[in-house]
Amino acid sequence: MKKGLMIVLSAVLALTLAACGNNNEKSGKLADIKEAGKIVLGTSAEYAPYEFHKNVDGKDQIVGFDIEIAKEIAKDLGVELEIKDMDFGNLLAEVKLGKIDFVIAGMTPDEDRRKSVDFTKNYYEATQAVFVRAEDKDKFTTMKDLEGKAIGVQMGSTQEKIAKDITGAKVKSLGKTTELVLELKSKKVDALIVELPVAQGYVNKNPDLFLTSIVPEYESGGSAVAVNKGETELLAEIQKTLDRLTAEKTIDKWVSEMTELADQ
Ligand code: ARG
């Protein structure tokens, strides 16, 4: 009888200690980030106004409305922001490996991606857009006009999926949107698919480019922040910052400012 009680008591004690230990030294990304005093952002800075390179006071900087959001997230967590710039197609692998803590890159949450990462709610909504050389503007008015054409898209993007579904399309996937624009101008491709604010930016500043009225369908054109699967605490903290920025209507303001700032 007594021995039995002792065993039960020590089991209870062991469980209590384990629970306390858990409380004192929390595990997971959020705790690591606070401990390190910095959070590492993964992005692909060639997608103005989301994120892009800009020479500010003679220094190359990564700017954009996604970057403003990342800064606010770091500020709310009380840590420094470190930015790692890479090809869009590598972002999810890097977050899985733990080399970056979160992704903000105009990334659209979709079913495939949800298998490997967790997303916040969309912090920004956009539609898809198609732009072409101005001289071809009358040739592209419906989705059908894209059939059999050479279409440029970013590697690993949702636009790549859209293009691959177009009958007979010759899809050219490249790592960077900036390279795609050169391909379009030099007639190596006939049309590019990107999110509307990106297309708008290029067309505004390049009279030789034209924004068509074609709007390809996709499950979403919205953007969300991604973290490694299961990092629920970190995700919840990031969501809080996004909710605040949404309530303050700050993101829309940044979108216009950053569209102005981009060189393209
Ligand atoms: N929204 C698209 C996607 O999720 C394209 C995003 C491209 N972003 C970038 N930073 N290049 O695939």
Side-chain angles (χ1 to χ4, degrees), residues 151-164 171-176 180 189 191-194:
I151 302 176
V153 287
Q154 186 162 41
M155 205 177 284
S157 69
T158 53
Q159 286 78 18
E160 185 177 43
K161 293 184 186 167
I162 296 173
K164 285 185 172 161
V171 181
K172 182 150 194 187
S173 306
L174 294 180
K176 291 184 164 54
L180 288 166
V189 296
L192 300 185
I193 312 178
V194 293

Side-chain angles (χ1 to χ4, degrees), residues 190-234:
D190 303 310
L192 300 185
I193 312 178
V194 293
E195 262 98 9
L196 182 60
V198 179
Q200 194 72 65
Y202 278 108
V203 168
N204 284 350
K205 291 185 181 163
N206 293 269
D208 54 337
L209 298 176
F210 176 77
L211 178 65
T212 71
S213 56
I214 307 172
V215 182
E217 293 286 335
Y218 193 68
E219 6 175 331
S220 158
S223 307
V225 182
V227 299
N228 201 356
K229 213 162 181 56
E231 296 299 344
T232 40
E233 287 179 324
L234 176 59

Side-chain angles (χ1 to χ4, degrees), residues 127-139:
T127 57
Q128 307 295 335
V130 177
F131 67 107
V132 299
R133 288 178 293 275
E135 62 196 74
D136 288 343
K137 64 183 192 142
D138 300 323
K139 295 190 199 154

Side-chain angles (χ1 to χ4, degrees), residues 225-245:
V225 182
V227 299
N228 201 356
K229 213 162 181 56
E231 296 299 344
T232 40
E233 287 179 324
L234 176 59
L235 195 70
E237 288 301 311
I238 293 177
Q239 187 62 56
K240 273 192 216 160
T241 302
L242 295 181
D243 289 346
R244 175 173 66 77
L245 296 175

Side-chain angles (χ1 to χ4, degrees), residues 44 46-47 51 88 105-108 113 154 156-159 195:
S44 181
E46 36 63 52
Y47 210 59
E51 48 268 329
F88 184 79
M107 186 177 276
T108 304
R113 291 174 179 164
Q154 186 162 41
S157 69
T158 53
Q159 286 78 18
E195 262 98 9

